[in-house]
């Protein structure tokens, strides 16, 4: 799980069903299907919540700094 401390990123995805839920997965051919995230926003929650592999491609627009929360620490926090 990543929190954007500085900078902005582009999240590229397409829709696909994973474990019975409609999820987002990377789309190399469809660059129009994306979302822009800025400082204070986050990504990577699907892997933590649904125990799935990476479901999007992230590209930095500029130099970025991230706060990172591992799966193990995530579950420690939730107890």
């Amino acid at each position: 799980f990543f929190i954007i401390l500085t900078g902005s990123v582009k999240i590229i995805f397409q829709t696909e069903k994973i474990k019975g839920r409609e999820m987002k997965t990377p789309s190399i051919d469809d660059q129009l299907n994306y979302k822009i995230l800025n400082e204070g926003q986050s990504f990577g929650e699907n892997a933590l919540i649904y125990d799935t592999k990476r479901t999007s491609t992230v590209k930095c627009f500029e130099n970025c700094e991230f706060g990172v929360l591992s799966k193990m620490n995530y579950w420690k926090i939730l107890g």
Side-chain angles (χ1 to χ4, degrees):
F1 178 74
F2 300 88
I3 300 169
I4 304 167
L5 301 176
T6 62
S8 59
V9 301
K10 179 180 187 178
I11 310 289
I12 303 165
F13 54 88
Q14 70 183 19
T15 302
E16 180 179 298
K17 292 219 177 215
I18 298 174
K19 289 190 174 184
R21 289 189 142 85
E22 190 169 288
M23 306 290 284
K24 307 293 183 187
T25 54
S27 173
I28 295 169
D29 296 326
D30 184 8
Q31 294 289 315
L32 297 176
N33 203 4
Y34 66 90
K35 180 167 51 171
I36 305 296
L37 299 180
N38 299 296
E39 292 178 18
Q41 294 183 293
S42 61
F43 60 93
E45 63 279 357
N46 287 339
L48 291 176
I49 296 168
Y50 301 114
D51 195 28
T52 63
K53 58 184 177 181
R54 183 177 62 89
T55 60
S56 60
T57 300
V58 180
K59 294 186 177 185
C60 296
F61 284 118
E62 56 201 326
N63 287 333
C64 296
E65 293 182 11
F66 301 96
V68 180
L69 180 62
S70 71
K71 183 181 253 183
M72 182 173 61
N73 287 331
Y74 173 79
W75 288 111
K76 282 182 183 178
I77 291 168
L78 291 181

